[in-house]
């Protein structure tokens, strides 16, 4: 009799965004004429930057000619893209990251979900609350937690993020081995200062811990001095893995390209206390389980780093940030408090009522989809997240509809 992985039974029935999609589909079926405006999942709406599109076309044509056709590429990514990333995202900002420390992939969600495989099962894990659900769920699947009681999995150290700490948690008083951090934050839109990140890097060095730093939204940072990479912090090369994505930076949610940075200085220890390179381990895992991102997509991603690509991506993120500004203004005018939206595409709203009740109210009365904060963890109860990824016309219409319902 084949047995299943019973850890899956500890999970909530469905993944947060799948759950929301199901509710929205049911509403649409019952109200086929209602135009629904989706401000739930952070999915981009604006077309690819022209520089990326041009590179994609050119590379696609290359695949159609014998002389320029390519088969399997390197699992870790083509050198042209790894070089462009190392220079454009790191070396140009004073971070000593080499091209061969970059692993190109098709998804930051997959990388951040898969990375836990290279760590032992009995490690102590610190996870913020509220949080992107992938960090928690993948550790539950791997059997690193007990049951879920009152929206908390036994065995995890939760780092509460709230108005009082400005949504940036401080290191815990007890030692932990693996720490998940995300800045600019999903879902709150908060950012961490260099001093706050330094506390975490120092903590990780003192405890021989590893920080998993999700920087998928760094392209939205506008406040001068806010770090865009954890490697801007001294000592981070020894303790941090960084995840980046082209999804939100360059509108690649449907195109698929991301990367993970694993510095060669990073070490984890075996049961005898001997140090091993995490770069070597991840390289082993990546080349065993992944066959690389397609050549045309990597060329499209490379174009992000051209002068035209940089300017076009900036215009794209500026566009969504203007949506965020409109959302913040409208929400505040309705007498609700909110954070985020200044260095991030998400606005975190204190609804002063149950998150799912507010979600249902917006869906049923305004035809607008938000993400209930409670879906990101216990500390998200009472909040909802609005995404700024939408057309200007949809944002304006959604805000008018919401105002009509809440007034
Ligand atoms: C979100 O809405 O939180 C993100 O779009 C989800 C993701 O990037 O996987």
């Amino acid at each position: 009799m084949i047995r299943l992985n019973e850890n899956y039974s500890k999970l909530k029935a469905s993944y947060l965004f799948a759950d929301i999609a199901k509710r929205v589909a049911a509403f649409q079926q019952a109200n086929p004429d209602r135009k629904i405006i989706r401000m739930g999942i952070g999915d981009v709406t604006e077309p690819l930057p022209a520089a990326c599109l041009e590179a994609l076309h050119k590379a696609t044509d290359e695949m159609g000619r014998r002389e320029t056709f390519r088969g399997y590429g390197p699992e870790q990514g083509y050198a042209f893209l790894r070089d462009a990333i190392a220079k454009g995202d790191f070396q140009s900002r004073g971070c000593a990251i080499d091209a061969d420390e970059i692993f190109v992939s098709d998804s930051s969600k997959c990388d951040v979900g898969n990375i836990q495989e290279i760590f032992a099962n009995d490690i102590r894990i610190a996870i913020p609350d509220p949080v992107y659900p992938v960090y928690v769920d993948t550790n539950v699947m791997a059997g690193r937690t007990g049951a879920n009681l009152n929206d908390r999995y036994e065995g995890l150290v939760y780092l509460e993020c709230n108005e009082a700490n400005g949504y940036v948690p401080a290191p815990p008083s007890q030692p932990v081995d693996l720490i998940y951090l995300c800045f600019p934050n999903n879902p709150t839109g908060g950012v961490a200062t260099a001093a706050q990140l330094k506390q975490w890097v120092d903590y990780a060095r003192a405890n021989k811990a590893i920080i998993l730093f999700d920087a998928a939204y760094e392209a939205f940072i506008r406040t001068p001095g806010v770090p865009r990479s954890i490697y801007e912090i001294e000592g981070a090369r020894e303790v941090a893995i960084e995840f980046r994505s082209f999804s939100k930076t360059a509108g690649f949610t449907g195109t698929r390209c991301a990367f993970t940075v694993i510095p060669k200085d990073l070490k984890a220890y075996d049961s005898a206390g001997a140090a091993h390179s995490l770069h070597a381990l991840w390289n082993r895992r990546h080349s065993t389980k992944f066959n690389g991102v397609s050549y045309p997509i990597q060329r499209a991603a490379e174009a992000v780093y051209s002068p035209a690509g940089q300017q076009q991506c900036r215009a794209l993120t500026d566009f969504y940030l203007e949506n965020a500004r409109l959302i913040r203004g409208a929400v505040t005018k309705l007498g609700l408090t909110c954070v985020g939206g200044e260095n991030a595409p998400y606005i975190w709203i204190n609804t002063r009522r149950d998150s799912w009740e507010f979600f249902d109210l917006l869906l049923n009365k305004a035809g607008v989809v938000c993400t209930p904060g409670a879906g990101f963890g216990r500390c998200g109860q009472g909040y909802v997240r609005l995404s700024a990824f939408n057309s200007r016309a949809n944002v304006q219409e959604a805000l008018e509809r919401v105002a009509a319902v809440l007034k």
Side-chain angles (χ1 to χ4, degrees), residues 199-358:
Q199 277 193 319
W200 277 108
V201 168
D202 291 348
Y203 172 92
R205 292 173 79 181
N207 289 284
K208 290 198 163 78
I210 295 285
I211 298 170
L212 301 178
F213 191 76
D214 184 347
Y217 299 96
E218 62 77 32
F220 293 85
I221 293 174
R222 292 294 180 273
T223 303
V226 171
R228 299 178 69 146
S229 164
I230 189 122
Y231 304 117
E232 290 177 37
I233 311 301
E234 202 194 321
R237 271 186 63 85
E238 291 162 39
V239 290
I241 293 175
E242 185 163 304
F243 302 89
R244 294 269 191 115
S245 169
F246 294 98
S247 284
K248 317 294 158 76
T249 307
F252 271 46
T253 56
T255 306
R256 313 300 319 144
C257 198
F259 61 93
T260 292
V261 187
I262 312 209
K264 290 191 175 153
D265 304 7
L266 280 178
K267 301 274 185 284
Y269 301 85
D270 64 23
S271 44
H276 297 265
S277 156
L278 283 177
H279 182 279
L281 239 62
W282 185 250
N283 192 44
R284 182 72 174 84
R285 192 249 171 230
H286 200 69
S287 44
T288 304
K289 296 195 177 184
F290 188 64
N291 250 344
V293 174
S294 84
Y295 171 71
I297 301 300
Q298 292 195 56
R299 280 291 184 201
E302 180 195 21
V304 164
Y305 299 94
S306 67
Q310 287 287 290
Q311 187 253 320
Q312 291 158 8
C313 288
R314 175 76 181 201
L316 200 58
T317 48
D318 276 346
F319 173 82
Y320 293 124
L321 283 170
E322 175 59 13
N323 283 348
R325 194 186 66 79
L326 295 174
I327 296 168
R328 281 177 63 97
V331 165
T332 310
K333 218 160 135 192
L334 288 168
L336 296 175
T337 51
C338 65
V339 293
E342 285 170 322
N343 293 294
Y346 297 126
I347 298 93
W348 187 242
I349 303 165
N350 186 346
T351 68
R352 301 195 294 259
R353 65 190 104 176
D354 179 82
S355 291
W356 282 103
E357 188 187 308
F358 194 82

Side-chain angles (χ1 to χ4, degrees), residues 77-146:
Y78 283 103
F80 62 76
L81 179 55
R82 299 172 92 193
D83 282 342
I85 292 169
K87 288 197 186 93
D89 280 332
F90 298 102
Q91 292 161 11
S92 65
R93 298 203 184 109
C95 306
I97 295 295
D98 288 334
D100 65 355
E101 296 177 316
I102 287 156
F103 293 84
V104 175
S105 80
D106 62 351
S107 166
S108 223
K109 173 179 170 176
C110 297
D111 287 352
V112 88
N114 290 329
I115 196 81
Q116 45 77 29
E117 272 184 38
I118 62 171
F119 300 106
N121 249 39
D122 57 356
I123 52 171
R124 296 158 297 185
I125 304 172
I127 298 199
D129 176 4
V131 77
Y132 182 46
V134 173
Y135 313 155
V136 176
D137 286 4
T138 52
N139 280 292
V140 175
M141 291 169 178
R144 291 200 184 85
T145 72

Side-chain angles (χ1 to χ4, degrees), residues 368-389:
V368 171
V369 182
C370 63
T371 308
F376 295 105
R378 194 201 278 171
C379 292
Q381 179 51 272
Y383 293 79
V384 295
R385 189 194 78 175
L386 279 183
S387 151
F389 293 113

Side-chain angles (χ1 to χ4, degrees), residues 157-209:
V157 173
Y158 285 93
L159 307 166
E160 299 204 345
C161 305
N162 46 40
E163 285 169 26
N165 61 16
Y167 299 96
V168 180
S173 43
Q174 75 262 53
V176 295
D177 307 304
L178 191 66
I179 301 146
Y180 287 82
L181 293 178
C182 171
F183 293 109
N185 188 257
N186 179 11
T188 68
V191 286
T193 62
Q196 287 167 323
L197 289 183
K198 174 139 191 348
Q199 277 193 319
W200 277 108
V201 168
D202 291 348
Y203 172 92
R205 292 173 79 181
N207 289 284
K208 290 198 163 78

